[in-house]
Amino acid sequence: EDFLPEHVEASAKPAVARPVVQTEMTTMNPPETGGALVLQWLTYAFWFWFVVSATWLAGVVINYFVAPASSPDDIGGLLAYPLASTIIMLIVSLVTDWFYTKRESVKKTGVAHVIMLLHVVPFVLCAIGALIIVVFSLIMMTLNNDPFGTVDGPLKVMLTSIVAASLYALLAARVFFGGAKRSLRMVVWGVFVAVALGLIIASIAGPAAQANRTKQDRLIETALPVLSGDIRAYAEKNDKLPAKLTDVTHD
């Protein structure tokens, strides 16, 4: 080293190894926190209840449009709960999922991975079960030779099961691939909103409108037996028929 020039001596010195900087984006895999895990669980649970509500609403709407003559008289009462539940669960699920996406990691690990598996497996099983019901309904409609039987029942079950299978399959895809594929998540949101809006419009235009048109008729049908009993009680008490309906007392 004593015989080397200063510039040669400086260049010959071994370079100090610099630490390798991790280029992985920490924002893509945020740390698991209690709030993120709670949002994850609530998101999956809320979407599950939305699928249940939408399937129930689809069953009521399909039953009305496939066989309106066999629809129950109190279809308004049957429609109220699934309609309200579908509207509320759609809003709650979208809001919760939107907040969860801000903390959702691309690749889930630890507790988040366990929560994902606990939900995606039942969703896939529900989708497969609905597909089995679809095939069973098709076989029933094909092989049924009962002259008194109709295809209305299996057709209603098949259409409702198609809705359920589609929604559960999309929900399973959202849970399993939603963190890594933002476009898939947006597609699932769009389909859920479109299905919910379609069912809501169909329920309002169909069974809800029918219930509103016939509510006076149903009130009269309910009151007639009561009126008959009041007239009979008046005749037994006064030994004659009432001259006018206002003479009849009623509760």
Side-chain angles (χ1 to χ4, degrees), residues 31-195:
E32 293 182 2
T33 62
L37 295 176
V38 170
L39 278 176
Q40 180 187 9
W41 201 303
L42 288 178
T43 297
Y44 299 163
F46 287 157
W47 278 127
F48 168 73
W49 283 112
F50 165 76
V51 172
V52 173
S53 302
T55 303
W56 186 3
L57 181 61
V60 176
V61 173
I62 290 171
N63 178 71
Y64 173 80
F65 283 102
V66 171
S70 61
S71 299
D73 295 333
D74 58 340
I75 192 170
L78 296 176
L79 178 67
Y81 188 83
L83 180 58
S85 179
T86 300
I87 295 173
I88 296 300
M89 292 312 305
L90 176 64
I91 298 174
V92 172
S93 300
L94 284 174
V95 173
T96 307
D97 202 350
W98 183 78
F99 280 106
Y100 172 59
T101 54
K102 297 181 178 297
R103 300 186 177 186
E104 186 176 12
S105 59
V106 174
K107 185 178 181 181
K108 296 178 177 62
T109 57
V111 180
H113 184 70
V114 175
I115 294 176
M116 181 194 69
L117 293 180
L118 288 176
H119 288 82
V120 72
V121 172
F123 295 160
V124 172
L125 293 178
C126 290
I128 295 175
L131 288 177
I132 293 174
I133 297 176
V134 171
V135 177
F136 174 77
S137 301
L138 285 173
I139 295 175
M140 287 293 295
M141 289 188 294
T142 304
L143 301 181
N144 187 16
N145 59 354
D146 185 2
F148 298 100
T150 64
V151 298
D152 289 345
L155 179 60
K156 291 184 287 188
V157 172
M158 183 189 70
L159 294 177
T160 305
S161 300
I162 290 175
V163 174
S166 302
L167 295 180
Y168 275 117
L170 288 172
L171 180 56
R174 162 50 192 117
V175 172
F176 195 75
F177 300 107
K181 299 180 179 180
R182 183 176 181 274
S183 58
L184 174 63
R185 185 169 64 240
M186 300 301 294
V187 169
V188 172
W189 288 1
V191 173
F192 282 171
V193 171
V195 171

Side-chain angles (χ1 to χ4, degrees), residues 24-30 102-106:
E24 183 179 2
M25 297 179 62
T26 57
T27 56
M28 299 300 291
N29 291 282
K102 297 181 178 297
R103 300 186 177 186
E104 186 176 12
S105 59
V106 174

Side-chain angles (χ1 to χ4, degrees), residues 227 234 242-250:
L227 178 61
Y234 179 91
K244 51 185 180 298
L245 289 179
T246 54
D247 295 338
V248 180
T249 58
H250 60 279

